[in-house]
Amino acid sequence: MAFSDIKGQEGAIGFFKQAVADDRLAHAYLFLGPSGLGKTLLAKTLVKFIICEYPVKQDDLAVDCCDTCSSCRKIQQNNHPDLHWIEPTGASRRISIDQIRSLQKEISLKTYEGKLKTFIVLGAEGMTNEAANSLLKTLEEPP
């Protein structure tokens, strides 16, 4: 799935395309909204767009991911080594401090294949207080 396949998020997609074109992509973004809005799909497609090996170009600017290169296929199948998913686990369905510590350790390592290492945190509202504080410190002072 590419940006062109996502409907109803034209404003957000335009924002990210412009940020990439201007080389002003921030190190973290927060996707908010009700369930079923497509936040995870947009985040995953953004990662594809950033890491894509052969982006679709228009007037020498990248406008979409190719959706066919090795990186795009791996991201689509959730097995790209530079895309990490953090989501609630266990009976409590919470994100633990140990998961955030693992994220912090992984952040300090080099990328395997892509240009960037990316992390998608699903259900961040379900973090324990310790996990939230630890992640906040990482976001405020990235390595």
Side-chain angles (χ1 to χ4, degrees), residues 86-116:
I86 294 87
E87 50 192 318
T89 59
S92 66
R93 301 297 301 153
R94 309 265 329 219
I95 295 175
S96 69
I97 184 70
D98 291 332
Q99 288 174 278
I100 300 303
R101 286 181 181 145
S102 177
L103 175 148
Q104 291 168 330
K105 180 180 176 185
E106 188 64 39
I107 284 175
S108 65
L109 302 175
K110 288 187 174 195
T111 61
Y112 289 103
E113 291 180 14
K115 300 176 252 185
L116 297 170

Side-chain angles (χ1 to χ4, degrees), residues 26-100:
H27 73 279
Y29 288 99
L30 185 61
F31 292 65
L32 299 170
S35 180
L37 194 61
K39 300 177 298 288
T40 303
L41 176 62
L42 182 59
K44 185 175 179 178
T45 306
L46 175 61
V47 172
K48 283 170 62 174
F49 180 60
I50 295 167
I51 296 179
C52 182
E53 298 166 24
Y54 307 106
V56 176
K57 293 191 176 190
Q58 188 175 42
D59 298 327
D60 287 333
L61 290 176
V63 294
D64 214 339
C65 58
C66 71
D67 228 10
T68 58
C69 69
S70 173
S71 291
C72 285
R73 288 192 318 265
K74 287 178 182 178
I75 291 168
Q76 188 60 39
Q77 296 167 355
N78 295 332
N79 64 4
H80 194 286
D82 294 323
L83 171 59
H84 303 273
W85 296 86
I86 294 87
E87 50 192 318
T89 59
S92 66
R93 301 297 301 153
R94 309 265 329 219
I95 295 175
S96 69
I97 184 70
D98 291 332
Q99 288 174 278
I100 300 303

